[in-house]
Amino acid sequence: MVLQFKTPFMQFCSDFIDCKRQSSAGTDDEWKCKVAAINLALEIGRVEKCVDFMNFLAKQVLPELQERNMAMRPLVKAASIKFVFFLHDRFRDLLGFILYLLVAHLGSKDVVVHTYAAQAIEKILSCNVSSGDPGTTPNNPVIGNMELKIVFYDLIYGLLRIVGNPGWDENQYVMKCIMMTCSMAGDDPQRFANAIWKKLCMALDRASKKSRKNPQYNHYLFESIAILIRSVCTKNVAHATSCENIFGPRLKEVLENDYEGQFIPYVYQLLALILEFSPEGGRMSDTCTAAFPQLLKLNRWEFSRNIPSLTRLLIAYLRKGIIQTLNHQSKSLDDIVVVFHVLIQNENYKQYTF
């Protein structure tokens, strides 16, 4: 209808929205009509790119996002956030203000509201300035570091509150938003590293014990941990020891209990990352030293998904002087040679030979 009869249909929709809003004002059906109006406007916007929704945003959507009572009209709030989520590219000049409003909705007890809020925030953070603008590049984010710094505390604690609530299921959209927030925030995560680590460790403990795993949630969880480790250790490599003390025992436990092998590639990548940041010439910890023989077991190298992370970890061990630590034990040297031959004999794995 929009494509074939654009002008009369748009006028009809505008009249319909105004009529329903006026007729339902002050009645019990007001919220239902508002949800219908927002959803109708959203569907029009997704089909017709040239429609100006600034007036609709100002009159219908922003007032709902500015309402601080999270218990009021949760379905209207969810519809308003969904509207912003799908059409955020139309309101680039207002995204900083919209981001500020969305952060408050992470405090909603309604899963649909705080999930949509996390989705919309992640989408806004990943939105780049148009490459057609003078002096900009495709990787220039609309939300700059200073704008994010203003809301970072409330944003990260709102997200961690959701993750830390055992009464709610694993929410992949919230975890993806944590990953994006830590990635975009520059040095800010370092100031709250202990609090973030605590919540992510709790999430890792719960995820590793679940019989049915959520692959996307787990991916974003491990990526968030990796981003945090990189952020903290880049600033000061001495923090690598702290990271190892915090995550080392947990990662070891995950490896022992991950019978399906879903976490193995992620665990080895994190261990490699921590080891790469460890000070040169320093004494290798007992945890790292004890994990090395497990790395050389051939059954670990049987699955292609493990090869990149195993190779990265083995290289990190060799660069940090694991052979000297083990006093040149011939058994370890022989096992390394065997692993090398396994890789070089397979055309798909030759690129990972070290």
Side-chain angles (χ1 to χ4, degrees), residues 270-291:
L270 289 184
L271 287 174
L273 183 63
I274 294 173
L275 203 55
E276 288 164 357
F277 277 110
S278 299
E280 293 287 346
R283 179 183 177 276
M284 193 170 295
S285 70
D286 294 339
T287 302
C288 285
T289 304

mmCIF file with all atom_site columns, all heavy atoms in Angstrom, residues 270-291:
data_model
loop_
_atom_site.group_PDB
_atom_site.id
_atom_site.type_symbol
_atom_site.label_atom_id
_atom_site.label_alt_id
_atom_site.label_comp_id
_atom_site.label_asym_id
_atom_site.label_entity_id
_atom_site.label_seq_id
_atom_site.pdbx_PDB_ins_code
_atom_site.Cartn_x
_atom_site.Cartn_y
_atom_site.Cartn_z
_atom_site.occupancy
_atom_site.B_iso_or_equiv
_atom_site.pdbx_formal_charge
_atom_site.auth_seq_id
_atom_site.auth_comp_id
_atom_site.auth_asym_id
_atom_site.auth_atom_id
_atom_site.pdbx_PDB_model_num
ATOM 1   N N   . LEU A 1 270 ? 41.468 -17.115 25.902 1.00 0.00 ? 270 LEU A N   1
ATOM 2   C CA  . LEU A 1 270 ? 41.647 -16.258 27.084 1.00 0.00 ? 270 LEU A CA  1
ATOM 3   C C   . LEU A 1 270 ? 42.969 -16.552 27.777 1.00 0.00 ? 270 LEU A C   1
ATOM 4   O O   . LEU A 1 270 ? 43.673 -15.626 28.203 1.00 0.00 ? 270 LEU A O   1
ATOM 5   C CB  . LEU A 1 270 ? 40.483 -16.450 28.063 1.00 0.00 ? 270 LEU A CB  1
ATOM 6   C CG  . LEU A 1 270 ? 39.127 -15.892 27.633 1.00 0.00 ? 270 LEU A CG  1
ATOM 7   C CD1 . LEU A 1 270 ? 38.104 -16.084 28.748 1.00 0.00 ? 270 LEU A CD1 1
ATOM 8   C CD2 . LEU A 1 270 ? 39.224 -14.408 27.277 1.00 0.00 ? 270 LEU A CD2 1
ATOM 9   N N   . LEU A 1 271 ? 43.305 -17.831 27.903 1.00 0.00 ? 271 LEU A N   1
ATOM 10  C CA  . LEU A 1 271 ? 44.586 -18.187 28.513 1.00 0.00 ? 271 LEU A CA  1
ATOM 11  C C   . LEU A 1 271 ? 45.747 -17.630 27.696 1.00 0.00 ? 271 LEU A C   1
ATOM 12  O O   . LEU A 1 271 ? 46.732 -17.112 28.252 1.00 0.00 ? 271 LEU A O   1
ATOM 13  C CB  . LEU A 1 271 ? 44.710 -19.709 28.621 1.00 0.00 ? 271 LEU A CB  1
ATOM 14  C CG  . LEU A 1 271 ? 43.844 -20.395 29.685 1.00 0.00 ? 271 LEU A CG  1
ATOM 15  C CD1 . LEU A 1 271 ? 43.963 -21.909 29.576 1.00 0.00 ? 271 LEU A CD1 1
ATOM 16  C CD2 . LEU A 1 271 ? 44.237 -19.938 31.083 1.00 0.00 ? 271 LEU A CD2 1
ATOM 17  N N   . ALA A 1 272 ? 45.638 -17.708 26.373 1.00 0.00 ? 272 ALA A N   1
ATOM 18  C CA  . ALA A 1 272 ? 46.687 -17.158 25.508 1.00 0.00 ? 272 ALA A CA  1
ATOM 19  C C   . ALA A 1 272 ? 46.789 -15.648 25.678 1.00 0.00 ? 272 ALA A C   1
ATOM 20  O O   . ALA A 1 272 ? 47.893 -15.089 25.749 1.00 0.00 ? 272 ALA A O   1
ATOM 21  C CB  . ALA A 1 272 ? 46.390 -17.512 24.051 1.00 0.00 ? 272 ALA A CB  1
ATOM 22  N N   . LEU A 1 273 ? 45.645 -14.984 25.769 1.00 0.00 ? 273 LEU A N   1
ATOM 23  C CA  . LEU A 1 273 ? 45.637 -13.532 25.926 1.00 0.00 ? 273 LEU A CA  1
ATOM 24  C C   . LEU A 1 273 ? 46.312 -13.113 27.229 1.00 0.00 ? 273 LEU A C   1
ATOM 25  O O   . LEU A 1 273 ? 47.143 -12.191 27.248 1.00 0.00 ? 273 LEU A O   1
ATOM 26  C CB  . LEU A 1 273 ? 44.189 -13.022 25.895 1.00 0.00 ? 273 LEU A CB  1
ATOM 27  C CG  . LEU A 1 273 ? 43.987 -11.511 25.978 1.00 0.00 ? 273 LEU A CG  1
ATOM 28  C CD1 . LEU A 1 273 ? 44.621 -10.815 24.776 1.00 0.00 ? 273 LEU A CD1 1
ATOM 29  C CD2 . LEU A 1 273 ? 42.495 -11.181 26.053 1.00 0.00 ? 273 LEU A CD2 1
ATOM 30  N N   . ILE A 1 274 ? 45.980 -13.792 28.315 1.00 0.00 ? 274 ILE A N   1
ATOM 31  C CA  . ILE A 1 274 ? 46.598 -13.484 29.610 1.00 0.00 ? 274 ILE A CA  1
ATOM 32  C C   . ILE A 1 274 ? 48.099 -13.751 29.558 1.00 0.00 ? 274 ILE A C   1
ATOM 33  O O   . ILE A 1 274 ? 48.904 -12.950 30.045 1.00 0.00 ? 274 ILE A O   1
ATOM 34  C CB  . ILE A 1 274 ? 45.938 -14.316 30.726 1.00 0.00 ? 274 ILE A CB  1
ATOM 35  C CG1 . ILE A 1 274 ? 44.474 -13.895 30.905 1.00 0.00 ? 274 ILE A CG1 1
ATOM 36  C CG2 . ILE A 1 274 ? 46.708 -14.160 32.040 1.00 0.00 ? 274 ILE A CG2 1
ATOM 37  C CD1 . ILE A 1 274 ? 43.687 -14.781 31.862 1.00 0.00 ? 274 ILE A CD1 1
ATOM 38  N N   . LEU A 1 275 ? 48.476 -14.867 28.957 1.00 0.00 ? 275 LEU A N   1
ATOM 39  C CA  . LEU A 1 275 ? 49.889 -15.238 28.885 1.00 0.00 ? 275 LEU A CA  1
ATOM 40  C C   . LEU A 1 275 ? 50.678 -14.245 28.031 1.00 0.00 ? 275 LEU A C   1
ATOM 41  O O   . LEU A 1 275 ? 51.829 -13.906 28.339 1.00 0.00 ? 275 LEU A O   1
ATOM 42  C CB  . LEU A 1 275 ? 50.019 -16.647 28.318 1.00 0.00 ? 275 LEU A CB  1
ATOM 43  C CG  . LEU A 1 275 ? 51.304 -17.426 28.652 1.00 0.00 ? 275 LEU A CG  1
ATOM 44  C CD1 . LEU A 1 275 ? 51.519 -17.500 30.151 1.00 0.00 ? 275 LEU A CD1 1
ATOM 45  C CD2 . LEU A 1 275 ? 51.229 -18.823 28.051 1.00 0.00 ? 275 LEU A CD2 1
ATOM 46  N N   . GLU A 1 276 ? 50.055 -13.757 26.955 1.00 0.00 ? 276 GLU A N   1
ATOM 47  C CA  . GLU A 1 276 ? 50.726 -12.784 26.076 1.00 0.00 ? 276 GLU A CA  1
ATOM 48  C C   . GLU A 1 276 ? 51.027 -11.473 26.789 1.00 0.00 ? 276 GLU A C   1
ATOM 49  O O   . GLU A 1 276 ? 51.997 -10.780 26.464 1.00 0.00 ? 276 GLU A O   1
ATOM 50  C CB  . GLU A 1 276 ? 49.859 -12.532 24.839 1.00 0.00 ? 276 GLU A CB  1
ATOM 51  C CG  . GLU A 1 276 ? 49.842 -13.695 23.865 1.00 0.00 ? 276 GLU A CG  1
ATOM 52  C CD  . GLU A 1 276 ? 48.712 -13.620 22.854 1.00 0.00 ? 276 GLU A CD  1
ATOM 53  O OE1 . GLU A 1 276 ? 47.886 -12.679 22.946 1.00 0.00 ? 276 GLU A OE1 1
ATOM 54  O OE2 . GLU A 1 276 ? 48.642 -14.497 21.969 1.00 0.00 ? 276 GLU A OE2 1
ATOM 55  N N   . PHE A 1 277 ? 50.186 -11.127 27.750 1.00 0.00 ? 277 PHE A N   1
ATOM 56  C CA  . PHE A 1 277 ? 50.401 -9.888  28.501 1.00 0.00 ? 277 PHE A CA  1
ATOM 57  C C   . PHE A 1 277 ? 51.324 -10.084 29.706 1.00 0.00 ? 277 PHE A C   1
ATOM 58  O O   . PHE A 1 277 ? 51.726 -9.106  30.342 1.00 0.00 ? 277 PHE A O   1
ATOM 59  C CB  . PHE A 1 277 ? 49.065 -9.316  28.988 1.00 0.00 ? 277 PHE A CB  1
ATOM 60  C CG  . PHE A 1 277 ? 48.349 -8.489  27.956 1.00 0.00 ? 277 PHE A CG  1
ATOM 61  C CD1 . PHE A 1 277 ? 47.181 -8.945  27.364 1.00 0.00 ? 277 PHE A CD1 1
ATOM 62  C CD2 . PHE A 1 277 ? 48.845 -7.254  27.577 1.00 0.00 ? 277 PHE A CD2 1
ATOM 63  C CE1 . PHE A 1 277 ? 46.512 -8.185  26.422 1.00 0.00 ? 277 PHE A CE1 1
ATOM 64  C CE2 . PHE A 1 277 ? 48.190 -6.483  26.632 1.00 0.00 ? 277 PHE A CE2 1
ATOM 65  C CZ  . PHE A 1 277 ? 47.018 -6.948  26.052 1.00 0.00 ? 277 PHE A CZ  1
ATOM 66  N N   . SER A 1 278 ? 51.623 -11.324 30.045 1.00 0.00 ? 278 SER A N   1
ATOM 67  C CA  . SER A 1 278 ? 52.495 -11.582 31.196 1.00 0.00 ? 278 SER A CA  1
ATOM 68  C C   . SER A 1 278 ? 53.874 -10.979 30.948 1.00 0.00 ? 278 SER A C   1
ATOM 69  O O   . SER A 1 278 ? 54.384 -11.012 29.828 1.00 0.00 ? 278 SER A O   1
ATOM 70  C CB  . SER A 1 278 ? 52.628 -13.089 31.438 1.00 0.00 ? 278 SER A CB  1
ATOM 71  O OG  . SER A 1 278 ? 51.366 -13.654 31.723 1.00 0.00 ? 278 SER A OG  1
ATOM 72  N N   . PRO A 1 279 ? 54.518 -10.412 31.981 1.00 0.00 ? 279 PRO A N   1
ATOM 73  C CA  . PRO A 1 279 ? 55.827 -9.771  31.811 1.00 0.00 ? 279 PRO A CA  1
ATOM 74  C C   . PRO A 1 279 ? 56.869 -10.749 31.285 1.00 0.00 ? 279 PRO A C   1
ATOM 75  O O   . PRO A 1 279 ? 56.910 -11.916 31.675 1.00 0.00 ? 279 PRO A O   1
ATOM 76  C CB  . PRO A 1 279 ? 56.174 -9.305  33.238 1.00 0.00 ? 279 PRO A CB  1
ATOM 77  C CG  . PRO A 1 279 ? 54.873 -9.240  33.950 1.00 0.00 ? 279 PRO A CG  1
ATOM 78  C CD  . PRO A 1 279 ? 54.006 -10.302 33.347 1.00 0.00 ? 279 PRO A CD  1
ATOM 79  N N   . GLU A 1 280 ? 57.692 -10.283 30.386 1.00 0.00 ? 280 GLU A N   1
ATOM 80  C CA  . GLU A 1 280 ? 58.770 -11.099 29.836 1.00 0.00 ? 280 GLU A CA  1
ATOM 81  C C   . GLU A 1 280 ? 59.783 -11.444 30.932 1.00 0.00 ? 280 GLU A C   1
ATOM 82  O O   . GLU A 1 280 ? 60.145 -10.590 31.750 1.00 0.00 ? 280 GLU A O   1
ATOM 83  C CB  . GLU A 1 280 ? 59.496 -10.345 28.713 1.00 0.00 ? 280 GLU A CB  1
ATOM 84  C CG  . GLU A 1 280 ? 58.646 -10.101 27.478 1.00 0.00 ? 280 GLU A CG  1
ATOM 85  C CD  . GLU A 1 280 ? 58.413 -11.368 26.680 1.00 0.00 ? 280 GLU A CD  1
ATOM 86  O OE1 . GLU A 1 280 ? 59.121 -12.357 26.936 1.00 0.00 ? 280 GLU A OE1 1
ATOM 87  O OE2 . GLU A 1 280 ? 57.523 -11.364 25.808 1.00 0.00 ? 280 GLU A OE2 1
ATOM 88  N N   . GLY A 1 281 ? 60.227 -12.695 30.945 1.00 0.00 ? 281 GLY A N   1
ATOM 89  C CA  . GLY A 1 281 ? 61.242 -13.106 31.909 1.00 0.00 ? 281 GLY A CA  1
ATOM 90  C C   . GLY A 1 281 ? 60.719 -13.373 33.298 1.00 0.00 ? 281 GLY A C   1
ATOM 91  O O   . GLY A 1 281 ? 61.474 -13.778 34.189 1.00 0.00 ? 281 GLY A O   1
ATOM 92  N N   . GLY A 1 282 ? 59.406 -13.151 33.495 1.00 0.00 ? 282 GLY A N   1
ATOM 93  C CA  . GLY A 1 282 ? 58.828 -13.400 34.814 1.00 0.00 ? 282 GLY A CA  1
ATOM 94  C C   . GLY A 1 282 ? 58.575 -14.880 35.027 1.00 0.00 ? 282 GLY A C   1
ATOM 95  O O   . GLY A 1 282 ? 58.528 -15.677 34.087 1.00 0.00 ? 282 GLY A O   1
ATOM 96  N N   . ARG A 1 283 ? 58.397 -15.237 36.279 1.00 0.00 ? 283 ARG A N   1
ATOM 97  C CA  . ARG A 1 283 ? 58.153 -16.645 36.603 1.00 0.00 ? 283 ARG A CA  1
ATOM 98  C C   . ARG A 1 283 ? 56.740 -17.023 36.181 1.00 0.00 ? 283 ARG A C   1
ATOM 99  O O   . ARG A 1 283 ? 55.779 -16.325 36.489 1.00 0.00 ? 283 ARG A O   1
ATOM 100 C CB  . ARG A 1 283 ? 58.325 -16.870 38.112 1.00 0.00 ? 283 ARG A CB  1
ATOM 101 C CG  . ARG A 1 283 ? 58.056 -18.317 38.544 1.00 0.00 ? 283 ARG A CG  1
ATOM 102 C CD  . ARG A 1 283 ? 58.157 -18.466 40.054 1.00 0.00 ? 283 ARG A CD  1
ATOM 103 N NE  . ARG A 1 283 ? 57.833 -19.826 40.473 1.00 0.00 ? 283 ARG A NE  1
ATOM 104 C CZ  . ARG A 1 283 ? 56.598 -20.258 40.679 1.00 0.00 ? 283 ARG A CZ  1
ATOM 105 N NH1 . ARG A 1 283 ? 55.574 -19.434 40.494 1.00 0.00 ? 283 ARG A NH1 1
ATOM 106 N NH2 . ARG A 1 283 ? 56.370 -21.499 41.061 1.00 0.00 ? 283 ARG A NH2 1
ATOM 107 N N   . MET A 1 284 ? 56.627 -18.126 35.479 1.00 0.00 ? 284 MET A N   1
ATOM 108 C CA  . MET A 1 284 ? 55.321 -18.598 35.047 1.00 0.00 ? 284 MET A CA  1
ATOM 109 C C   . MET A 1 284 ? 54.591 -19.204 36.233 1.00 0.00 ? 284 MET A C   1
ATOM 110 O O   . MET A 1 284 ? 55.173 -19.933 37.026 1.00 0.00 ? 284 MET A O   1
ATOM 111 C CB  . MET A 1 284 ? 55.476 -19.623 33.923 1.00 0.00 ? 284 MET A CB  1
ATOM 112 C CG  . MET A 1 284 ? 54.185 -19.945 33.201 1.00 0.00 ? 284 MET A CG  1
ATOM 113 S SD  . MET A 1 284 ? 54.469 -20.939 31.708 1.00 0.00 ? 284 MET A SD  1
ATOM 114 C CE  . MET A 1 284 ? 55.401 -19.792 30.706 1.00 0.00 ? 284 MET A CE  1
ATOM 115 N N   . SER A 1 285 ? 53.313 -18.873 36.355 1.00 0.00 ? 285 SER A N   1
ATOM 116 C CA  . SER A 1 285 ? 52.547 -19.330 37.510 1.00 0.00 ? 285 SER A CA  1
ATOM 117 C C   . SER A 1 285 ? 52.354 -20.838 37.481 1.00 0.00 ? 285 SER A C   1
ATOM 118 O O   . SER A 1 285 ? 52.467 -21.487 36.430 1.00 0.00 ? 285 SER A O   1
ATOM 119 C CB  . SER A 1 285 ? 51.177 -18.641 37.523 1.00 0.00 ? 285 SER A CB  1
ATOM 120 O OG  . SER A 1 285 ? 50.382 -19.131 36.462 1.00 0.00 ? 285 SER A OG  1
ATOM 121 N N   . ASP A 1 286 ? 52.019 -21.374 38.652 1.00 0.00 ? 286 ASP A N   1
ATOM 122 C CA  . ASP A 1 286 ? 51.769 -22.820 38.752 1.00 0.00 ? 286 ASP A CA  1
ATOM 123 C C   . ASP A 1 286 ? 50.570 -23.235 37.909 1.00 0.00 ? 286 ASP A C   1
ATOM 124 O O   . ASP A 1 286 ? 50.541 -24.327 37.330 1.00 0.00 ? 286 ASP A O   1
ATOM 125 C CB  . ASP A 1 286 ? 51.543 -23.204 40.219 1.00 0.00 ? 286 ASP A CB  1
ATOM 126 C CG  . ASP A 1 286 ? 52.802 -23.012 41.055 1.00 0.00 ? 286 ASP A CG  1
ATOM 127 O OD1 . ASP A 1 286 ? 53.903 -22.988 40.473 1.00 0.00 ? 286 ASP A OD1 1
ATOM 128 O OD2 . ASP A 1 286 ? 52.682 -22.878 42.295 1.00 0.00 ? 286 ASP A OD2 1
ATOM 129 N N   . THR A 1 287 ? 49.554 -22.341 37.825 1.00 0.00 ? 287 THR A N   1
ATOM 130 C CA  . THR A 1 287 ? 48.357 -22.644 37.037 1.00 0.00 ? 287 THR A CA  1
ATOM 131 C C   . THR A 1 287 ? 48.704 -22.825 35.568 1.00 0.00 ? 287 THR A C   1
ATOM 132 O O   . THR A 1 287 ? 48.291 -23.791 34.917 1.00 0.00 ? 287 THR A O   1
ATOM 133 C CB  . THR A 1 287 ? 47.315 -21.520 37.186 1.00 0.00 ? 287 THR A CB  1
ATOM 134 O OG1 . THR A 1 287 ? 46.982 -21.357 38.566 1.00 0.00 ? 287 THR A OG1 1
ATOM 135 C CG2 . THR A 1 287 ? 46.053 -21.840 36.398 1.00 0.00 ? 287 THR A CG2 1
ATOM 136 N N   . CYS A 1 288 ? 49.505 -21.887 35.043 1.00 0.00 ? 288 CYS A N   1
ATOM 137 C CA  . CYS A 1 288 ? 49.909 -21.971 33.624 1.00 0.00 ? 288 CYS A CA  1
ATOM 138 C C   . CYS A 1 288 ? 50.812 -23.171 33.375 1.00 0.00 ? 288 CYS A C   1
ATOM 139 O O   . CYS A 1 288 ? 50.666 -23.877 32.374 1.00 0.00 ? 288 CYS A O   1
ATOM 140 C CB  . CYS A 1 288 ? 50.614 -20.681 33.210 1.00 0.00 ? 288 CYS A CB  1
ATOM 141 S SG  . CYS A 1 288 ? 49.500 -19.288 32.962 1.00 0.00 ? 288 CYS A SG  1
ATOM 142 N N   . THR A 1 289 ? 51.730 -23.399 34.280 1.00 0.00 ? 289 THR A N   1
ATOM 143 C CA  . THR A 1 289 ? 52.658 -24.517 34.113 1.00 0.00 ? 289 THR A CA  1
ATOM 144 C C   . THR A 1 289 ? 51.917 -25.853 34.134 1.00 0.00 ? 289 THR A C   1
ATOM 145 O O   . THR A 1 289 ? 52.185 -26.750 33.337 1.00 0.00 ? 289 THR A O   1
ATOM 146 C CB  . THR A 1 289 ? 53.717 -24.495 35.227 1.00 0.00 ? 289 THR A CB  1
ATOM 147 O OG1 . THR A 1 289 ? 54.385 -23.232 35.222 1.00 0.00 ? 289 THR A OG1 1
ATOM 148 C CG2 . THR A 1 289 ? 54.748 -25.599 35.016 1.00 0.00 ? 289 THR A CG2 1
ATOM 149 N N   . ALA A 1 290 ? 50.940 -25.971 35.036 1.00 0.00 ? 290 ALA A N   1
ATOM 150 C CA  . ALA A 1 290 ? 50.183 -27.221 35.154 1.00 0.00 ? 290 ALA A CA  1
ATOM 151 C C   . ALA A 1 290 ? 49.284 -27.460 33.948 1.00 0.00 ? 290 ALA A C   1
ATOM 152 O O   . ALA A 1 290 ? 48.991 -28.609 33.596 1.00 0.00 ? 290 ALA A O   1
ATOM 153 C CB  . ALA A 1 290 ? 49.350 -27.194 36.432 1.00 0.00 ? 290 ALA A CB  1
ATOM 154 N N   . ALA A 1 291 ? 48.845 -26.362 33.287 1.00 0.00 ? 291 ALA A N   1
ATOM 155 C CA  . ALA A 1 291 ? 47.934 -26.513 32.146 1.00 0.00 ? 291 ALA A CA  1
ATOM 156 C C   . ALA A 1 291 ? 48.662 -26.904 30.867 1.00 0.00 ? 291 ALA A C   1
ATOM 157 O O   . ALA A 1 291 ? 48.046 -27.415 29.924 1.00 0.00 ? 291 ALA A O   1
ATOM 158 C CB  . ALA A 1 291 ? 47.170 -25.209 31.921 1.00 0.00 ? 291 ALA A CB  1
#
